[in-house]
Each structure stands twice: as structure tokens, then as C-alpha cells.
Amino acid sequence: MGLTSHKVLALSALISVLVVAGTVWVWPRLAKRSWAAVFGRLGTIVGTQLAVMCTLGLVANNYFAFYSSWDDLLGTGNDGPVNIQSQLSAAKGQPGVQQISNENVRGANTVGRDPLVVGKLEKIRIPGASTGLSTEGYVYLPPQYFQPEYKDKKFPAAIAITGFPGDAKNLITKLNYPSTELQLIKDGKTNPTVLVMMRPSPAMPRDTECEDVPNSTQAESYFAKDVPQAIRSSYRVAEGAGSFGVIGNSTGGYCALKLAMKHPDVFSAAVSLSGYYKAADDATTGDLFAGSKDRRDQADLDWRLANLPKPAVSLLVGGSKEGDGDYYPATKKFIAAAKGSETKVAAITLDTGGHNFNTWSRMLPASLGWLGQHLSVPA
């Protein structure tokens, strides 16, 4: 049973109830003045606490999706070679993505239906030609990709990045990007866009903050160069200005803004949902900058706006006034710093909302619609 399985949660809850009931049952027998009774009481208290904490931990993990599997939790996942069903065609001399499996487009009355109607969702592995990195992710091709009138057309694309240490699958199971875009297309609120859904680090379990780490993982180059190259080599994705965007939540939101601001020639628009504005620095990141203040400043988005030419990109920042830490004051500062420049910043501001999938789900339709409208449209 998987870590996020409802059966695991139900089993843990049942064990917790039985342990608590057992403690109540045996407690009178342990009310003695002896070392055996003392250790017995301590054992029942510790057992009860562990059982209840495990259940609460599973509830929190299922809601926030900190870890998507036992391998993620234990750090035993293998992000190395996989059994490949097929390799998509690629341009000569360019590495294409490797298709692992076809997935269902989740949502009412969409499972197993024609790609002409609901599009297509594929699980893929994305190789990095320049960095040597490789990660698994998902690509969603909208219905228009398969419709005869678009057969010779190329589409804009957007990289969607989840928070750390989340898995790319969270963008499907928790936020459901494919069905959100599908509904937006049906409602005429966005343009058909190829979605590439990924986790925020190509070097798990380390949090790279989408940074080129000196003498180590070149995560920034992977996202800004290798991923667009691999996607264009395997799918009908447009080139040139306005053809690629990036969107993310939490760590993914920070990555989205940084990638667009540092690589406006690649990403013309970016969306950050509850993202922050400077690289995290903790046990999961280690020293990302090899002690260099200059490199750390370069990764600070407020510093970039204050000290470097402001890039000509469109940014959307979304979050809440209350319930999401210091997001709101930090965002007000960021918007003010970009005002009057070529860096155009729009905002979605909720009155309340935590740093969680519920808050991001509320903002996703408007955010994804905005992003699609800021990318090129197939003629």
C-alpha cells in the first residue's frame, strides 16, 4: 500500500484507536510501585503517542503532499534508468523525451476518452543534453494538438513546477492541471498550451532551488535550456518569443519567477503561487552558492530588481493576505520594486488562505488562464 493510500491512513487510525483503548484497559494493572509497572506505564504512553503522531503525520502528508511515496519519505527512491516503452521521435542531433506510460486525464467523464476531445497525458523522462541530468515528469497535450485543423501547427508550452519535496504527480492528483486547462479551453478562457509538469529539483533529495550549484547540479540550466530543448525535439512546440512560460507553487513559484527574470529570452511569462523571492537556505539545500555573496545576490529577486536591468517579462504573483507567513508583505515589496519598468507584475490576492493545495487550487484556473493568454497562439 502506498504512503498516501487511504487504506494506510485507515489502518494507522485503527491501530491508534486500539492502542489508546489498550492503554486504558491495562492502566489499572500498572498502578503499582514497582520498576516493572513504571516501565509498563512509560511504554504505553510512548506507544500511544507514536501511534497517534503517525496517524496525524499521515493526515498532514495526504493534505499537503510533502512525500508522495515510501521511497520519497525514506530517501530510497531511484531516479535512475527506467524501463522505457517507447522513445518519441526527436530532431536530428537532439535528445527527445522518453515516454514511460499513458495516463488518464482525470475529471468527470474524461477517463479513456478520445484525445481529440480531452487531450492526452503522458508520463515521461526528460533528459538534459547539456547538464547530464534527467527527471521524470508528465506532459499534457491539449485536444487541439490532435485535431486535423492543427496538424501542422506548433503550440506554446509551459513548465509547471511543484513545491519541494513534492512529486510531479501532485500537479495532477492535488491540483489537476490537465483538467483545469481543458475546462479553460472549453470556456474560451485560455489558449491551447502544452503543459510539462515537473518536480522542483533534478537532484533529489537535495533542494537545488533551480540554481546552478558550483561544481555540482546545474539545475537552472536544466530547466532553462535542456527541458525546452527536449520538449521541442519531441512535440510540436513553437520557438521564439512568447512560446514558453513557467508556473509553480511554493518552491516552484520561486523557481518560476527566477527562471523568467534570468532567462527572459526563454520564458516570456511566469506565475508564482505562494512563492518566495530569495533562495531557501537550510539542511535540504546545503550551500548552493559555494560561499559566494554575488551568486546569492543573483538568486535574490528583490536584489535583481534593485540592482540589475529589469527584464521585459510578464509575471503573475498569487497568494493570500493572511495565513501564508510573510507572503503578503514580501509580495507588496516585490510589486512596488517592479512598478514602472518593463517587468510587468500582476497579482491575485486572497483575503485568507494557507500555504497549501486548497489555496493554490482556488487560484489555479485564473492563473493558468492568464499564462495561456500571455503565450503565443498557433496561427
Side-chain angles (χ1 to χ4, degrees):
M1 293 183 287
L3 177 61
T4 58
S5 167
H6 293 303
K7 292 180 180 179
V8 170
L9 178 58
L11 178 61
S12 179
L14 176 60
I15 292 173
S16 296
V17 171
L18 293 176
V19 170
V20 171
T23 298
V24 173
W25 179 261
V26 304
W27 195 261
R29 302 183 184 182
L30 300 175
K32 301 176 181 179
R33 293 175 179 263
S34 67
W35 284 112
V38 169
F39 284 116
R41 290 195 295 270
L42 288 175
T44 56
I45 290 172
V46 171
T48 302
Q49 295 290 326
L50 287 175
V52 172
M53 290 302 294
C54 284
T55 300
L56 293 176
L58 287 170
V59 170
N61 186 69
N62 283 5
Y63 184 73
F64 291 104
F66 295 124
Y67 302 96
S68 62
S69 66
W70 294 110
D71 284 337
D72 270 353
L73 176 65
L74 301 175
T76 57
N78 180 11
D79 205 28
V82 296
N83 294 322
I84 304 301
Q85 294 183 348
S86 63
Q87 180 157 330
L88 303 182
S89 60
K92 185 176 180 180
Q94 300 293 338
V97 305
Q98 299 166 327
Q99 182 181 339
I100 298 173
S101 63
N102 291 320
E103 306 288 324
N104 288 326
V105 178
R106 299 163 59 90
N109 302 316
T110 62
V111 175
R113 292 178 59 184
D114 192 338
L116 289 167
V117 179
V118 301
K120 187 178 181 182
L121 179 64
E122 299 174 346
K123 185 175 183 180
I124 59 175
R125 175 170 286 275
I126 307 172
S130 69
T131 62
L133 298 170
S134 177
T135 60
E136 291 183 5
Y138 296 84
V139 63
Y140 173 67
L141 307 171
Q144 288 74 14
Y145 191 91
F146 304 96
Q147 294 170 2
E149 58 268 38
Y150 289 89
K151 66 182 181 66
D152 296 321
K153 307 302 180 184
K154 292 185 176 182
F155 291 79
I159 299 175
I161 308 174
T162 191
F164 184 87
D167 188 89
K169 195 169 185 179
N170 294 339
L171 299 172
I172 300 170
T173 59
K174 301 295 183 181
L175 291 177
N176 211 342
Y177 270 76
S179 69
T180 300
E181 180 180 344
L182 180 60
Q183 190 60 52
L184 289 169
I185 293 172
K186 289 180 178 179
D187 294 341
K189 295 181 178 179
T190 194
N191 299 311
T193 302
V194 173
L195 295 178
V196 184
M197 292 159 279
M198 306 181 66
R199 70 191 319 166
S201 174
M204 295 295 290
R206 186 179 189 183
D207 178 7
T208 59
E209 297 285 298
C210 298
E211 187 69 28
D212 278 350
V213 183
N215 303 312
S216 186
T217 305
Q218 303 295 287
E220 180 182 326
S221 295
Y222 176 71
F223 282 108
K225 182 178 179 180
D226 289 345
V227 173
Q229 181 185 79
I231 295 300
R232 286 190 175 111
S233 295
S234 300
Y235 301 99
R236 299 198 318 273
V237 169
E239 299 184 19
S243 60
F244 243 99
V246 57
I247 180 173
N249 57 274
S250 189
T251 303
Y254 165 71
C255 284
L257 295 180
K258 180 168 73 172
L259 289 169
M261 292 177 69
K262 295 184 73 172
H263 303 276
D265 56 323
V266 179
F267 304 105
S268 60
V271 179
S272 170
L273 304 178
S274 295
Y276 40 90
Y277 302 98
K278 61 186 298 184
D281 183 7
D282 55 34
T284 65
T285 65
D287 183 3
L288 296 173
F289 309 104
S292 169
K293 182 180 182 301
D294 179 64
R295 296 185 70 95
R296 181 173 293 280
D297 286 342
Q298 294 281 337
D300 185 327
L301 306 187
D302 290 325
W303 185 92
R304 296 187 69 86
L305 287 177
N307 295 277
L308 299 177
K310 299 176 177 62
V313 292
S314 296
L315 308 177
L316 175 63
V317 291
S320 60
K321 292 182 179 179
E322 297 181 7
D324 196 4
D326 64 351
Y327 164 82
Y328 187 59
T331 297
K332 287 176 63 179
K333 177 183 176 183
F334 180 79
I335 294 173
K339 190 174 182 180
S341 72
E342 288 191 278
T343 302
K344 306 301 181 183
V345 184
I348 296 175
T349 305
L350 304 178
D351 289 333
T352 60
H355 196 80
N356 54 50
F357 285 103
N358 180 57
T359 299
W360 304 327
S361 294
R362 292 163 61 192
M363 296 186 288
L364 184 61
S367 301
L368 200 53
W370 180 93
L371 184 60
Q373 292 169 356
H374 282 75
L375 299 177
S376 62
V377 182

Tab-separated table of all heavy atoms in Angstrom, residues 23 42 52 74 108-109 147 212 283 287 290 295 320 351:
chain	number	residue	atom	x	y	z
A	23	THR	N	-4.369	0.926	26.260
A	23	THR	CA	-3.752	1.661	27.366
A	23	THR	C	-4.748	1.882	28.502
A	23	THR	O	-4.422	1.694	29.685
A	23	THR	CB	-3.221	3.014	26.860
A	23	THR	OG1	-2.207	2.776	25.875
A	23	THR	CG2	-2.632	3.829	28.002
A	42	LEU	N	5.389	3.807	31.149
A	42	LEU	CA	6.143	4.569	30.151
A	42	LEU	C	5.964	3.984	28.742
A	42	LEU	O	5.809	4.718	27.764
A	42	LEU	CB	7.631	4.578	30.509
A	42	LEU	CG	8.039	5.438	31.706
A	42	LEU	CD1	9.514	5.238	32.006
A	42	LEU	CD2	7.767	6.918	31.420
A	52	VAL	N	-0.568	7.796	17.627
A	52	VAL	CA	-1.363	8.985	17.293
A	52	VAL	C	-0.578	9.927	16.389
A	52	VAL	O	-1.112	10.476	15.412
A	52	VAL	CB	-1.806	9.711	18.580
A	52	VAL	CG1	-2.470	11.047	18.239
A	52	VAL	CG2	-2.767	8.843	19.377
A	74	LEU	N	11.630	7.826	2.771
A	74	LEU	CA	12.822	7.160	3.287
A	74	LEU	C	14.091	7.529	2.530
A	74	LEU	O	15.191	7.149	2.919
A	74	LEU	CB	12.627	5.639	3.244
A	74	LEU	CG	11.423	5.113	4.047
A	74	LEU	CD1	11.252	3.612	3.820
A	74	LEU	CD2	11.591	5.415	5.531
A	108	ALA	N	-14.432	14.542	-14.507
A	108	ALA	CA	-15.732	13.945	-14.817
A	108	ALA	C	-15.838	13.585	-16.302
A	108	ALA	O	-15.606	14.415	-17.178
A	108	ALA	CB	-16.850	14.914	-14.443
A	109	ASN	N	-16.170	12.316	-16.559
A	109	ASN	CA	-16.454	11.823	-17.917
A	109	ASN	C	-15.284	11.998	-18.883
A	109	ASN	O	-15.484	12.148	-20.077
A	109	ASN	CB	-17.695	12.533	-18.488
A	109	ASN	CG	-18.917	12.341	-17.617
A	109	ASN	OD1	-19.182	11.243	-17.149
A	109	ASN	ND2	-19.666	13.423	-17.409
A	147	GLN	N	-6.299	17.583	-33.325
A	147	GLN	CA	-7.370	17.903	-34.249
A	147	GLN	C	-6.812	18.244	-35.626
A	147	GLN	O	-5.760	18.886	-35.743
A	147	GLN	CB	-8.205	19.057	-33.691
A	147	GLN	CG	-8.950	18.671	-32.419
A	147	GLN	CD	-9.598	19.838	-31.710
A	147	GLN	OE1	-9.529	20.986	-32.173
A	147	GLN	NE2	-10.251	19.555	-30.582
A	212	ASP	N	22.122	26.830	-10.469
A	212	ASP	CA	23.335	26.161	-10.946
A	212	ASP	C	24.341	26.147	-9.799
A	212	ASP	O	25.012	27.156	-9.523
A	212	ASP	CB	23.919	26.899	-12.146
A	212	ASP	CG	23.224	26.535	-13.447
A	212	ASP	OD1	22.436	25.580	-13.445
A	212	ASP	OD2	23.471	27.215	-14.465
A	283	ALA	N	18.875	22.770	5.733
A	283	ALA	CA	19.543	21.470	5.638
A	283	ALA	C	19.284	20.780	4.305
A	283	ALA	O	20.096	19.980	3.844
A	283	ALA	CB	19.079	20.577	6.795
A	287	ASP	N	24.877	24.439	0.912
A	287	ASP	CA	25.413	25.698	0.391
A	287	ASP	C	25.279	25.695	-1.126
A	287	ASP	O	26.056	25.058	-1.829
A	287	ASP	CB	26.871	25.862	0.806
A	287	ASP	CG	27.455	27.202	0.354
A	287	ASP	OD1	26.700	28.006	-0.230
A	287	ASP	OD2	28.651	27.432	0.586
A	290	ALA	N	28.409	28.157	-2.893
A	290	ALA	CA	29.841	27.982	-2.598
A	290	ALA	C	30.413	29.183	-1.861
A	290	ALA	O	31.542	29.614	-2.108
A	290	ALA	CB	30.619	27.736	-3.896
A	295	ARG	N	26.788	35.324	-5.999
A	295	ARG	CA	25.865	34.317	-6.508
A	295	ARG	C	24.568	34.307	-5.692
A	295	ARG	O	23.480	34.135	-6.244
A	295	ARG	CB	26.522	32.932	-6.484
A	295	ARG	CG	27.723	32.786	-7.400
A	295	ARG	CD	28.246	31.357	-7.405
A	295	ARG	NE	27.316	30.474	-8.085
A	295	ARG	CZ	27.395	30.137	-9.371
A	295	ARG	NH1	28.368	30.626	-10.121
A	295	ARG	NH2	26.517	29.319	-9.919
A	320	SER	N	-2.180	34.951	-0.409
A	320	SER	CA	-3.203	35.473	0.494
A	320	SER	C	-2.622	36.516	1.443
A	320	SER	O	-1.426	36.516	1.740
A	320	SER	CB	-3.827	34.332	1.307
A	320	SER	OG	-2.842	33.665	2.074
A	351	ASP	N	-8.038	36.977	0.526
A	351	ASP	CA	-8.058	37.530	1.883
A	351	ASP	C	-7.398	36.587	2.871
A	351	ASP	O	-6.597	37.007	3.711
A	351	ASP	CB	-9.496	37.834	2.314
A	351	ASP	CG	-10.075	39.028	1.569
A	351	ASP	OD1	-9.291	39.897	1.146
A	351	ASP	OD2	-11.298	39.079	1.390
